Amino acid sequence: MAKGLLVTYVLWVIGGPAGLHHLYLGRDSHALLWMLTLGGGGLGWLWEFWKLPSFVAQANRAQEWKQSPREGIPPLSPIRFTAQMIVGIYFGLMALISLSSMANFYIVGLPLAVGLGVLLVAAVGNQTSDFKNTLGVAFLTSPIFYGRPIAILPISLAASITAQKHRRYKASVESETLSVRLYRLGLAYLAFTGPLAYSALCNTAATLSYVAETLGSFLSWFSFFPLLGHLMESVLLLPYRIWCLLVGDPGFNSSYFQEWEKLYEFVHSFQDEKRQLAYQVLGLSEGATNEEIHRSYRELVKVWHPDHNQHQTEEAQRHFLEIQAAYEVLSQHRKPRASRR
């Protein structure tokens, strides 16, 4: 049955951020992607306004492709590659928030989450990629920056490159009923949102700490690029600022946006606490110069090096690791942060 452009636009308006129009067109992977990202943060949903005619035409040609599957390799798409990188990072961040307490998370959970995010974008439309190779590269890349959130970046980059290298057109398959498609989408949606919901409802305090730690680490990735870091900070407050621009003083009906900014401020307060603790470990007062930090670090490392404390190895090892962690926190370049309000 041919798909109608008018119906597609109506569904795009009514349930676009939830992927309703993609479900109508048989683009289940695209529908799931929109369900999990709310239409690509709203930007992807708006951008699709100009793409819907081509989506409808592609859906109406699907029957011909089933009878004679397309051969060859799809053209390389920088947009798809960028989207794979972004969604891979997004899936990795969500996994950090909800699953980072599991054993062997950085070896199993993180590369699996990032790889699945990359594969989801690779399967949008009439294309797909090799499942085993993409996930295999993600697992092989996971030891890079092991134990640190920044590991998401090399995993997502390697998986995206592999997915592009093995891109191909989808093979012809038998049509499935709507109930089967909805069942499969529902399971995938629950697999993504279930751990997040459990963490938020049953372990709220720890989840807030994970969110703060993750966002703080995410912002610290840009510490060597001040302009880009400032841009990312602005993006976090973008919904709140847009609301203020449209309605003026938010008043009492903007609890959502107030909570959004509270979370943002919580991230910075969490980072401030880590920095204060680091100063205490190194025996310094706040505002110490880089030279003072480096000198204190070298002196304490000599005192607590395990090789120099054979009679108290465990205590020396603990102090040695604390000193290294404190020095790493303070040695990161951090620019002054202006008032948020």
Side-chain angles (χ1 to χ4, degrees):
M1 184 176 182
K3 306 297 182 182
L5 181 60
L6 180 59
V7 175
T8 304
Y9 270 109
V10 171
L11 294 175
W12 175 82
V13 172
I14 296 175
L20 195 58
H21 56 301
H22 289 303
L23 186 63
Y24 167 71
L25 295 175
R27 300 166 60 91
D28 291 358
S29 296
H30 211 158
L32 178 61
L33 177 63
W34 260 210
M35 290 167 61
L36 299 180
T37 63
L38 290 180
L43 297 178
W45 169 63
L46 294 174
W47 178 75
E48 280 186 334
F49 179 83
W50 312 104
K51 302 287 291 182
L52 290 184
S54 64
F55 289 164
V56 173
Q58 187 180 98
N60 288 329
R61 290 196 299 266
Q63 190 63 35
E64 300 176 7
W65 294 345
K66 290 177 182 178
Q67 296 174 358
S68 56
R70 298 186 64 175
E71 298 180 354
I73 300 176
L76 183 65
S77 172
I79 296 178
R80 186 182 291 262
F81 175 79
T82 303
Q84 288 172 341
M85 280 286 300
I86 294 174
V87 174
I89 292 172
Y90 168 70
F91 271 48
L93 290 174
M94 294 301 102
L96 274 171
I97 293 172
S98 59
L99 300 174
S100 58
S101 60
M102 66 178 286
N104 300 319
F105 168 75
Y106 284 94
I107 293 295
V108 179
L110 185 61
L112 179 62
V114 175
L116 290 177
V118 171
L119 284 169
L120 179 58
V121 178
V124 165
N126 61 346
Q127 298 184 27
T128 187
S129 187
D130 187 87
F131 184 85
K132 292 182 179 179
N133 282 318
T134 303
L135 282 185
V137 168
F139 281 108
L140 289 175
T141 314
S142 60
I144 301 178
F145 298 113
Y146 174 79
R148 301 176 61 184
I150 197 175
I152 295 174
L153 289 180
I155 296 174
S156 183
L157 177 61
S160 299
I161 293 174
T162 304
Q164 284 291 310
K165 180 180 179 181
H166 295 278
R167 66 191 184 277
R168 65 175 186 270
Y169 289 109
K170 291 180 179 177
S172 59
V173 294
E174 294 293 332
S175 298
E176 296 178 326
T177 62
L178 181 60
S179 59
V180 172
R181 293 167 56 203
L182 289 176
Y183 175 73
R184 185 183 295 112
L185 286 174
L187 289 180
Y189 184 79
L190 287 176
F192 183 88
T193 59
L196 284 173
Y198 176 81
S199 297
L201 297 177
C202 300
N203 202 3
T204 307
T207 301
L208 281 175
S209 295
Y210 288 143
V211 171
E213 181 75 35
T214 301
L215 292 181
S217 299
F218 180 73
L219 291 176
S220 70
W221 295 347
F222 302 95
S223 59
F224 295 102
F225 305 96
L227 292 179
L228 186 57
H230 181 69
L231 175 62
M232 296 307 301
E233 291 177 6
S234 300
V235 168
L236 287 176
L237 278 180
L238 187 60
Y240 175 80
R241 289 172 176 168
I242 291 177
W243 182 260
C244 291
L245 182 65
L246 294 176
V247 303
D249 186 7
F252 294 100
N253 294 324
S254 62
S255 58
Y256 169 77
F257 297 98
Q258 290 175 0
E259 293 302 321
W260 184 274
E261 188 171 21
K262 286 179 182 178
L263 176 60
Y264 180 81
E265 295 294 345
F266 176 69
V267 172
H268 288 292
S269 65
F270 186 85
Q271 295 300 107
D272 290 340
E273 290 179 4
K274 287 178 62 178
R275 191 161 51 249
Q276 291 172 5
L277 181 59
Y279 280 120
Q280 294 176 12
V281 170
L282 295 182
L284 298 170
S285 59
E286 293 189 33
T289 64
N290 290 336
E291 183 179 351
E292 292 172 338
I293 293 172
H294 188 59
R295 183 169 59 250
S296 177
Y297 167 72
R298 287 186 300 176
E299 293 175 353
L300 290 173
V301 163
K302 291 179 181 178
V303 172
W304 289 106
H305 197 285
D307 292 343
H308 302 157
N309 295 271
Q310 298 292 340
H311 60 289
Q312 47 179 356
T313 305
E314 293 185 2
E315 183 180 359
Q317 181 72 17
R318 179 174 59 83
H319 282 291
F320 187 75
L321 293 176
E322 288 178 353
I323 293 166
Q324 286 186 320
Y327 180 72
E328 183 179 351
V329 169
L330 295 180
S331 62
Q332 291 178 351
H333 172 72
R334 296 189 183 276
K335 61 182 182 297
R337 308 198 187 280
S339 174
R340 306 296 175 195
R341 300 297 289 264

